[in-house]
Amino acid sequence: MPQFCKRKTVFQKIAHERHRIYMENKDSIKKEIEELRKKVNHHARLYYIYDAPEISDYEYDMMYSRLVKLESENPEFFDPDSPTQRVGGAPLDKF
């Protein structure tokens, strides 16, 4: 096999490995986004509907900020039902 063919297959293997790592990273990012959406929705419901928060405002803000960052860096995972796309809700009766 000519030297340039061997070199090409080495580059192809490297490119293939990089692509595999990239896709694994994208999969883990998608899973993190989905998990953060569930957690943010859960804690928002507890806070805004039941007035019974389980975590501090700081912890919620950190989760929410991480979700915003991941979604903005990965627009292919956009979801119109994401809590980052929501604009408020109904106030509690006691307000």
Side-chain angles (χ1 to χ4, degrees):
M1 180 181 278
Q3 185 65 26
F4 70 90
C5 289
K6 288 180 185 177
R7 187 173 293 147
K8 185 176 180 185
T9 58
V10 169
F11 289 133
Q12 286 174 333
K13 287 178 183 178
I14 292 170
H16 178 73
E17 182 63 14
R18 284 185 176 173
H19 180 71
R20 185 189 64 76
I21 291 168
Y22 172 81
M23 293 308 291
E24 284 179 2
N25 188 39
K26 283 294 186 180
D27 287 343
S28 67
I29 289 171
K30 183 178 181 182
K31 288 177 185 174
E32 184 178 358
I33 288 173
E34 290 169 350
E35 192 60 35
L36 282 169
R37 285 176 180 155
K38 288 178 188 175
K39 288 180 180 181
V40 168
N41 279 329
H42 170 74
H43 290 291
R45 189 176 311 109
L46 290 175
Y47 185 86
Y48 292 110
I49 295 174
Y50 299 110
D51 192 24
E54 292 180 339
I55 61 174
S56 70
D57 288 350
Y58 176 79
E59 290 171 302
Y60 178 86
D61 291 343
M62 292 296 99
M63 275 194 300
Y64 188 88
S65 295
R66 175 73 176 155
L67 179 56
V68 168
K69 181 179 186 296
L70 288 173
E71 287 180 339
S72 67
E73 292 173 351
N74 301 278
E76 66 271 25
F77 301 132
F78 174 79
D79 183 347
D81 294 327
S82 174
T84 61
Q85 303 302 308
R86 194 173 305 129
V87 183
L92 294 174
D93 292 335
K94 67 182 183 179
F95 291 116

